[in-house]
Amino acid sequence: MTHTKTFGILITAMVILLLITVVSLLLGQYPINFNTFMGYVDFKLFGGASNDTYTLLDNIILQIRLPRVLLAILIGASLSVSGTAFQAMFINPLVSPGILGVLAGASFGAALGMLISDQWYIVQMLAFIFGFVAVGVAVLIGSMVTNSRSTIMLVLGGVISGSLFTALLSVIKYIADPYSTLPAIVYWLMGSLTMADLHGVLLVSIPMLLSIAGMITLSKYFDLLSLGDEEAKALGVNVPLVRLSAIILATLASSLSVVMAGMIGWVGLIIPHIIRMAVGPSHRLLMPLSAIVGAIFLLLADSVSRLAFSVEIPLGIITSLIGIPIFIIVLKNARAAWN
Amino acid sequence: MELNPIIKVKDLHFSYNKNPVLEEIDFTISSGEVVSLLGPNGCGKSTLIRLILKLIRSNIGEIKLNGKSIHNYSHKEIAEHIAYIPQYHNVPFNYTVLEMVMMGRVSKLGFFATPSPHDHEIAYESLSKIGISNLANKPFGQLSGGQKQMVLLARALTQEVDTFIMDEPVSGLDYGNQIRLLELISELSRQGYTFLKTTHYPDHALLVSSRVVVMNNKKIIADGKPDEVITSDMINEVYGIGANLIKHEEYIRCLPTFNKGTL
């Protein structure tokens, strides 16, 4: 694919993302007229006389909708870029960002936080830490069984670590107060962007954007890693370094998404498949495009979750309900992209 | 002609889980040679190739690339000197031929760099050198075995190196493609490229090598000119069958004897 065509596709995707972002900001229980919105943007960017509407919009857009929209974009992009990287690295179409146990670990950490403290920042910190601990355990098991550090052992380590932390999560649920803590844990595990606040979102956006950018930088190496470790090495890739970097970056992005929004499944599994079917497997376009489309997907899913019914449906449920039928269709056509 | 050693293997030993796989391996590959590595299954040919490419490591003995131990080379630096052409294989993702060939350029690119129009040009040149420009936009997965092997050879050319290592290049190819590939190797060697290739066919070694190294039971048992090394006695010793060496046109050919109903 030529440079111009690659560039064109990415710009088009960005424009679509921008349009959906604006529409998401306008829609809600209090719909905002497009002209009012443009006036408000003009006022925010270039100043001018404030009025009551603008004060109201400050509250609705800046405090309520914008953090949520930004978080949906960040998490959608993080999860699908991590999924794309992992599918290439582990040469496996069923791999998702959670394969090394990061989501199970972070969920356990969050549940533990809710059990021992009512401070939200403790919950978030524990989620983040245990996301990394779980991946560390996976890598350790993977390298313990054999010293060849082959990817299949790593996947096995991830499955073991994931099961371990899922079991530990059950322990927490079992001993949690069934009238207050348990429902909080269960609800939070369903995944939701309702906790988003502007300050927190801006704070996590820095590491999340850095890890997304980092993984996109590694794009050209993922093509080679998908040929297998030995061939990649023979073609000049420092395989252990690229693999370790990708694991650290994906773990960082994924644990932060659990920290901010709980468990949101399916994004990191289906988006890479859809994009690969659409534009082919070359990672130079695949990686950035799956970041953008992942963001679009989660933004749309979140709009459904807050607008479709009078009560908000947890986002994790929506992504599963949308994701499963898409995945079935994708699997039917997967032979086009996977041999 | 002054021989310029490229790869020098000295007293190399290798064990896998304490089982010796290679013992006392000594040999040199010089610039411009086509060396065929001959030997039965499990004699350690592929292991030797993987050691030279630093895909596995041995602590006993030494492998030097252009006078420097390969332990002092990164994989990127090795790829700047040697191109490895594996047996054709399936690839999980359906890359196009051009995308496959472009992967040979990654060792030339800096960490943040993306391929430039110059890299594309080299990829196209390599395809045309092998004579498969028409395949550029075809999906690699849908090619025949012979075409896949040609693509991997074109990918090696994009690395812009002088030395190629091939693992059983004709394995799995049909009769015609086997010969066409050997002709291509012979043509590239005339252009000055150096080859180290493993093979199961003494006949092929006679056709395209300037030197033959024979391995058996973890060791090198013969090393020299093809027609001096490949003899009926050697074939009998290594493979346990009889063979006749016949001069046909300008080449000596190897024909195994066939005994009907020995069971």
Side-chain angles (χ1 to χ4, degrees), chain B residues 17-18 22 34 90 99 107 112 121 126 153 159 211-212 252-253:
Chain B
N17 288 341
K18 294 190 179 150
L22 293 175
V34 178
N90 289 328
E99 283 164 352
S107 62
F112 291 102
E121 229 169 81
S126 306
L153 197 54
Q159 285 179 243
R211 214 171 98 224
V212 171
I252 294 176
R253 309 296 301 262

Side-chain angles (χ1 to χ4, degrees), chain A residues 8 20 45 53 83 87 100 125 164 200 206 210 222 225 252 257 259 264 271 273 281 291 322:
Chain A
I20 295 177
L45 290 179
T53 320
Q87 286 180 4
L100 295 181
M125 247 171 56
L164 171 68
I206 299 164
L210 282 178
F222 292 129
L225 284 186
L252 179 60
S257 63
V259 163
I264 293 172
I271 300 296
H273 283 281
I322 302 178

